[in-house]
Amino acid sequence: MAARSSRLSDKANRISESFFEPRALAVIGASSHPDKVGYAVLANIIKSGYAGKVYPVNPKAHLIQDLECFHDIHDVPDPLDLAVIVVPAVHVPETVSELAGRGVAGAVIISAGFREVGIEGRKLERDAVERAHAGGMRLLGPNCLGIMNTALPLNATFARKMPPKGNIGVISQSGAICTSLVDWARSEAVGFSKLVSMGNSADLVESDFLEALAQDDDTRVIAMYLEGVSDGKRFFDTLSVASKAKPVVFLKAGTTQAGARAASSHTGALAGSESAYNALCMQAAALRASSVEELMSLSRTLATQPLPQGPRVGILTNAGGPGIIASDAGEKADLTLAQLSNTTVSRLRRYLPAAASLHNPVDILGDADAMRYAIALEALIEDPGVDAVLVILTPQAMTEIYLTADEIIHIARNSIKPVVVSFMGSGSVQAPVNRLQKAGIPNIPYPDQAMEVIGRMYERQLQIKMPLSREVKFKVDKAAVDKLFASYAARDEIQVEAEDCRKVLAAYGIPFAPYLNASDAEEAKKAASEMGYPVVMKIVSPQILHKTDVGGVVLGIKNAKQLADAYDDMMSSVRRRMPSAEIYGVGIQKMVPEGRELISGIIKDPQFGPMIMAGLGGIYVEAFKDVVFRLAPVTPGEAARMLRELHAYALLEGVRGEKPADVDAVEEVLMRLSQLACDHGALVEMDMNPLMVYNSGNGCTCVDVRMTLGG
Amino acid sequence: MSAIIVVSSERFSGKSSLVVGLALELRDRGFKIGYMKPVGAYPIKVNNEKVDEDAYFVREALGLTDPLTEISPYFLTWDNMTRYMRKTPPNPQSRVKNAYNKLSEGKDLMILEGAQNFLHGRILNLSALELADVLQAKVLLLDTFNEELSVDRILSAKDFFGHWFLGVVLNWVPPRRMDFTKNLLGRYLTSQGINMFGSVPVDRVLRSITVNDLAEGLNGSIICAADKGDELIESMMVGAMGQEQALRLFRKQANKVVITGGDRSDIQLAALETPTKSLILTGGHRPSPLVLGHAEEIGVPIILVDYDTATTVEMVEAAIGHQKMHSPKKIERIRGFIREGFDLDLMLEEIGMHIFR
């Protein structure tokens, strides 16, 4: 058995031991019929070269695939670490009980016919999990492909083949994606360390295996295919910890409306929103791939190459066109073309033909032989102004494809800077490319995609260097808001009234324009004189959502006389236009001075919990959709980054001689909102629009706010 | 024996509910209560006999065994109105009086339910005022609260019914106007010699419909969580947008039913994530087994209907608007309002029944 790191948590340790490194395992439902899953699984275990003991269990056979078969789990003589279950769903709960009774630590349930088929299946699944837990056993699946460990080796799946041994750990919520990745890995010479197919995730979920792989010494990069997560909060925490240890690249499917619809009927769970997954990546420092192709090319590059220490890329090419394509892609990926040093340029001049381009991209011309590639590559790697090198090769008449590949392998192997190659084409370059890939030099056939991957590698480098920022706790009146929200729950009401919204803001130290409800003109007058003119008057009625449309908003009321007139006008106007609306009265709000209008608020994501939102506010919210999200809690660092991600940040900095806005005050509001969201899970939605931001030093004020409760 | 007749100025104002609530509360105090609705409006067929729908449910709620033809002898549908205009039926007053005599045998109090408003029934000489005269019944007005109209309606009702006028109960009072009705309005009416027995606030539960009733009205089948058929639905939402928009919208409404297509798993899951009492899936499409299992697990019934979404929406709208009160939860709710907000002692005194206490 491979030695395991002592950093392993107990839980991850147990999962690793029983699922990845079992000393003995049983296949329940093993079969001698080649068309049965029970045959394929047992055959794969044997073929993979698994060195532990294997016990087929089947009541109807004596010998299966040359192994002694046991009629009953209780007949198996030795202690078992793992069981692979392939019996029909109805027998699974009972099988689980028997295994748990024998003290088996884990089981992989490959059988289908559970949650995915309806109510009865769901009951069976729950029953199996309860029985497992009662006996201290953990389950992977059901309805999954199985599990692989190339280092042991063990292939406890019904996939056709094993991937090569390597250091990418794969976790997938789709068994079919697993089999495709394995097939691809074999043809592209990409090595996997472990592969886990999650199936229905009835017991163990993606976070469990993420935790295990984060601590697995054989795994250098974790690649995940996700359709949703089982527990967003836990996934966030696990991903944050895992990403500190090694890069985690994930592909989240179902990003569009059509995709989300497809995913929802596949998983039966509401996936988190796109905004939540983007925020998750940002905050947990994970890398999100946008296609299966990127998932694999990025994982494989991360697994084989060092990270670039900076954004400066040197491009080496034997043709002009691809060099230009790569340059374009580099800029889009936030990379820069390295400015080559004089030393490098004169070194290149000495060895390269006069027609060659000595500046980045370095074009060593169509007749470049392997030696020219070698000289130029060495020069680029040694230039202190270069952080990464992309080598482009187009197969031309004089090109020494094999020799060039060998030279690159030789040089890149000893490089502390990443080298990515782009041998364009597929026919004549195929064999040399295989040689490169086997040597751990990733080939990405299109130079633009290769640049994107280098860009993502640099993103990883930035994530690692990101300073740690800790959540700040403000002194707030949590109890007051608890009490207020409880009163809504007691009345079974979910829309928080305007006046109560202000109480919540006050309790959390978020500045707002003074506001009071008034049930008649007398009270309105009193409220206005209390807060001081000028004031705004708004109709208060549960049926009137668009107040302005029915004459329900009057701005800039300067005195009592104007207020009385405005009140009468408003009542007749509203009564005429909405005779059946129930009018509670009016709200009187202090007029605030003009400022820069932002929007900010809270949206509870079904998987990840509260998200804090900030964006360009006022009437432009819908038009520009310039908003950013973060999962709560929001740290000072995240609050600052949020605002800087907005296009509207330019407005906050001040355009054309404007003074800069009070960004610090807005950041503090975002953190206070985050605390409010974390303290009160019942708050499912909150909008402050506009949040009026004043010049630096003058703070900001919430003008209008809405809250929805729901738990 | 005493008699009161509960009348209203508008239809659908909650008379049947008030009758059931009053009757059950009085019965708890030991009184024997009879019930009659001389002029009905919306007939349903029960055992091949046409009977007023409300009358049928009140009879059921009170567990009475009197014949339906006596409890609800007439109803004024359009069809009947035209018939009565062609030929006046022979003496409806005496038919009502006879039925009333039988129904009131051995009772301490007869509660009569008026027709759609207190003028309705005049064509048969059975308007509320005529019934009060014939049956010696005191008139209790149930007024649907209106800030501007209620006071005048109540004052005029007193003028209209004269010595038969017992007093008023206000219904559908917005929570924010409860104080007003109890204080300023109550004092004012008392100063005008009008008994104000109480006010009942707007209540979402009373407006709601059960999942079972909704399914039945839609000819739909409940395919999971059937044990939650008694849950009450207060409102309706339609889902035809993306998942994130759906989630935001669905969060804004509690105790609702969501109508969407059977193939929209994303909308269905968004609805199940928010305060939703039931899902109606249109077009006869069954949901994904995963969604079905989830709904069963969290106890939200799914109703499968064959209608398209537009038709279903129309039907559900009509059903929620014209709610029935025969769910045990609603009856309990009504009784609660009467215990808290209705001055029963005052009423008993006014009809001379306090001496029995």
Side-chain angles (χ1 to χ4, degrees), chain B residues 98-123:
Chain B
N98 286 338
Y100 175 84
N101 286 340
K102 283 192 212 162
L103 294 170
S104 60
E105 252 170 56
K107 300 289 194 294
D108 301 318
L109 173 70
M110 277 299 285
I111 303 181
L112 292 107
E113 185 176 343
Q116 297 204 40
N117 66 27
F118 61 71
L119 305 174
H120 201 207
R122 175 64 185 77
I123 192 168

Side-chain angles (χ1 to χ4, degrees), chain B residues 168-187:
Chain B
V168 64
V169 186
L170 289 167
N171 199 6
W172 303 119
V173 182
R176 300 205 174 214
R177 292 288 181 253
M178 285 297 281
D179 270 353
F180 163 76
T181 58
K182 281 178 188 158
N183 298 314
L184 184 55
L185 179 62
R187 280 198 303 274

Side-chain angles (χ1 to χ4, degrees), chain B residues 11 20 45-46 54-56 60 83 107 114 130 148 150 158 198-199 232 263 285 303 326:
Chain B
R11 57 187 179 170
V20 170
K45 253 197 174 161
V46 180
D54 289 340
Y56 176 73
E60 294 287 299
R83 191 179 316 151
K107 300 289 194 294
E130 289 158 307
E148 286 136 15
S150 280
K158 180 185 180 247
S199 38
L232 297 171
D263 52 347
H285 297 294
I303 304 171
H326 61 284

